[in-house]
Amino acid sequence: MTALTGHVVVFGATVLYTLINGTWPGALTWLGIGVSLALATLLLGAVAGVAGGMLAKFIESIRS
């Protein structure tokens, strides 16, 4: 969750900065990049969580 929070803060600030000092298409581009990377981060976290759970069950079955 920490990585996702960092993505939201950085890309949220970038979008606001671009809206204030740039153009709205530029801000929309940064928003799209931020959402894409946030989804990729969530997917990677979910895959790692499932892999860790599977590994823990496998190790538990060996110990029993």
Side-chain angles (χ1 to χ4, degrees), residues 1 4 6 9 11 16 18 22 24-29 32 36 38 42-44 50-51 64:
M1 219 40 180
L4 183 60
V9 169
F11 283 103
L16 285 175
T18 306
W24 69 268
L28 196 59
T29 300
S36 300
L42 284 174
L43 179 64
L44 181 63
V50 169
S64 298

Side-chain angles (χ1 to χ4, degrees), residues 14-36:
T14 303
V15 167
L16 285 175
Y17 178 84
T18 306
L19 273 174
I20 293 169
N21 296 316
T23 60
W24 69 268
L28 196 59
T29 300
W30 279 111
L31 182 63
I33 293 169
V35 169
S36 300

Side-chain angles (χ1 to χ4, degrees), residues 39-56:
L39 290 175
T41 301
L42 284 174
L43 179 64
L44 181 63
V47 169
V50 169
M54 290 171 62
L55 184 62

